């Protein structure tokens, strides 16, 4: 018994419809594959089920085939309808030109020019627009000035803190320097007032009295000196003992 002819209409039974979709889908995918292999054709097949599920087949990739289709389609449109393309571009240029002229006219009106052809309503609308722009400009100017004043206050506080730190540092260093000066002065005074200081020895004057005609001299180094008796002097020639390597005092 042969297979009957299937009526081309929607299958009302949900189960039968799903079974038919699965069988014919697989058959269609198989036919597409066979066509691409047997005839060396570039085949792309996209199927969406009633539930929105995607089934696809591409002999060289779906995306590559779609890109090739778009190129061919655009070339066909540009070759077949050059007049329509030119007309659409002319319309676009006309729209842009009219928009440009409108913007130029509005700009001139905002600058107070070409107001002779404007009516009362247009002038009132222009006045409201200018007032709104002036209000926004003043608000922005006030905001910018407040921000700049706040920045200046921050800088002033920072400079004040730096000035305080420098002042404290200067006072501390000045006090330390003054203390050092006082210590140095006290040390110098104590050394000058104590002749027995071991660090800075001071030799006393020579005990032997000399003639007033003798010249004072400075004795340096370990040497022996002799005083020769002058005329009218009662001091005999004698050796002065106790010489040292330190500087001796003036002999009077």
């Amino acid at each position: 018994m042969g297979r009957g002819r299937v009526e081309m209409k929607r299958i009302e039974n949900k189960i039968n419809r799903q079974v038919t979709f699965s069988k014919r889908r697989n058959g269609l995918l198989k036919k597409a594959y066979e066509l691409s292999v047997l005839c060396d054709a570039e085949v792309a097949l996209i199927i969406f089920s009633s539930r929105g599920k995607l089934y696809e087949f591409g002999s060289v990739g779906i995306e590559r085939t779609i890109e090739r289709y778009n190129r061919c389609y655009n070339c066909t449109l540009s070759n077949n309808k050059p007049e329509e393309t030119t007309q659409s571009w002319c319309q676009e240029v006309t729209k842009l030109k009219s928009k440009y002229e409108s913007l130029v006219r509005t700009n001139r009106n905002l600058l107070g020019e070409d107001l002779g052809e404007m009516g009362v309503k247009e002038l009132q609308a222009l006045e409201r627009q200018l007032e709104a722009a002036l209000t926004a400009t003043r608000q922005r100017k006030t905001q910018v000035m407040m921000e700049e004043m706040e920045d200046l206050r921050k800088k002033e506080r920072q400079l004040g803190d730096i000035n305080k730190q420098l002042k404290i540092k200067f006072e501390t260093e000045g006090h330390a320097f003054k203390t050092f000066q006082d210590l140095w002065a006290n040390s110098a005074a104590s050394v000058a007032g104590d002749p027995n200081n071991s660090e800075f020895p001071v030799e006393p004057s020579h005990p032997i009295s000399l003639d007033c005609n003798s010249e004072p001299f400075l004795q340096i180094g370990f040497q022996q000196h002799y005083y020769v008796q002058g005329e009218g002097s009662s001091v005999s020639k004698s050796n002065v003992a106790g010489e040292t390597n330190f500087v001796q005092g003036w002999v009077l």
Side-chain angles (χ1 to χ4, degrees), residues 7 35 45 84 112-113 131 150 167 182 201-202 206 214 222 226 235 238 251:
E7 186 178 1
L35 180 62
L45 177 62
E84 295 180 0
E113 301 176 357
E131 289 178 353
E150 186 64 24
K167 185 177 180 181
D182 295 339
V202 178
H206 202 279
S214 301
F222 182 76
Y226 296 91
V235 180
S238 63
V251 179

Side-chain angles (χ1 to χ4, degrees), residues 46-250:
I46 300 175
I47 302 174
F48 285 98
S49 66
S50 59
R51 297 181 180 180
K53 191 173 181 180
L54 173 64
Y55 302 91
E56 62 181 14
F57 168 77
S59 59
V60 295
I62 294 294
E63 295 180 356
R64 181 177 175 182
T65 304
I66 291 175
E67 290 178 358
R68 183 177 180 182
Y69 168 77
N70 289 330
R71 289 196 299 269
C72 294
Y73 180 75
N74 293 332
C75 291
T76 303
L77 289 179
S78 60
N79 292 330
N80 294 336
K81 299 179 180 179
E83 295 180 358
E84 295 180 0
T85 304
T86 304
Q87 186 178 359
S88 64
W89 280 110
C90 290
Q91 293 176 358
E92 188 70 20
V93 170
T94 303
K95 290 180 181 179
L96 292 174
K97 185 177 180 180
S98 60
K99 187 175 182 179
Y100 170 75
E101 292 177 353
S102 176
L103 291 173
V104 171
R105 185 169 56 255
T106 303
N107 188 25
R108 293 178 66 86
N109 293 333
L110 291 173
L111 294 175
E113 301 176 357
D114 296 341
L115 301 178
E117 299 179 357
M118 299 180 66
V120 177
K121 294 183 178 180
E122 294 177 350
L123 291 173
Q124 290 177 351
L126 180 61
E127 183 180 4
R128 288 192 297 270
Q129 186 177 1
L130 290 173
E131 289 178 353
L134 182 60
T135 302
T137 303
R138 287 175 177 173
Q139 291 178 355
R140 178 58 183 166
K141 183 186 70 173
T142 304
Q143 182 180 359
V144 172
M145 292 177 65
M146 295 297 293
E147 292 176 355
E148 291 181 354
M149 289 176 64
E150 186 64 24
D151 293 337
L152 291 175
R153 291 194 186 97
K154 290 181 180 179
K155 292 180 180 180
E156 182 180 3
R157 288 193 293 268
Q158 293 176 358
L159 292 175
D161 295 338
I162 295 172
N163 190 15
K164 291 179 180 178
Q165 294 176 2
L166 292 175
K167 185 177 180 181
I168 294 171
K169 185 177 179 181
F170 177 76
E171 291 177 353
T172 304
E173 293 181 354
H175 181 69
F177 182 71
K178 185 176 181 182
T179 305
F180 178 75
Q181 282 184 335
D182 295 339
L183 291 175
W184 180 266
N186 294 332
S187 299
S190 62
V191 170
D194 187 5
N196 297 323
N197 195 325
S198 60
E199 294 182 358
F200 302 96
V202 178
E203 292 293 332
S205 300
H206 202 279
I208 302 175
S209 60
L210 300 177
D211 189 1
C212 293
N213 295 327
S214 301
E215 294 293 335
F217 67 94
L218 180 64
Q219 182 178 357
I220 301 175
F222 182 76
Q223 297 178 2
Q224 291 183 350
H225 300 277
Y226 296 91
Y227 297 93
V228 181
Q229 183 177 3
E231 295 180 358
S233 175
S234 60
V235 180
S236 60
K237 180 170 71 174
S238 63
N239 185 10
V240 180
E243 292 85 353
T244 63
N245 289 331
F246 295 99
V247 177
Q248 301 294 335
W250 290 97

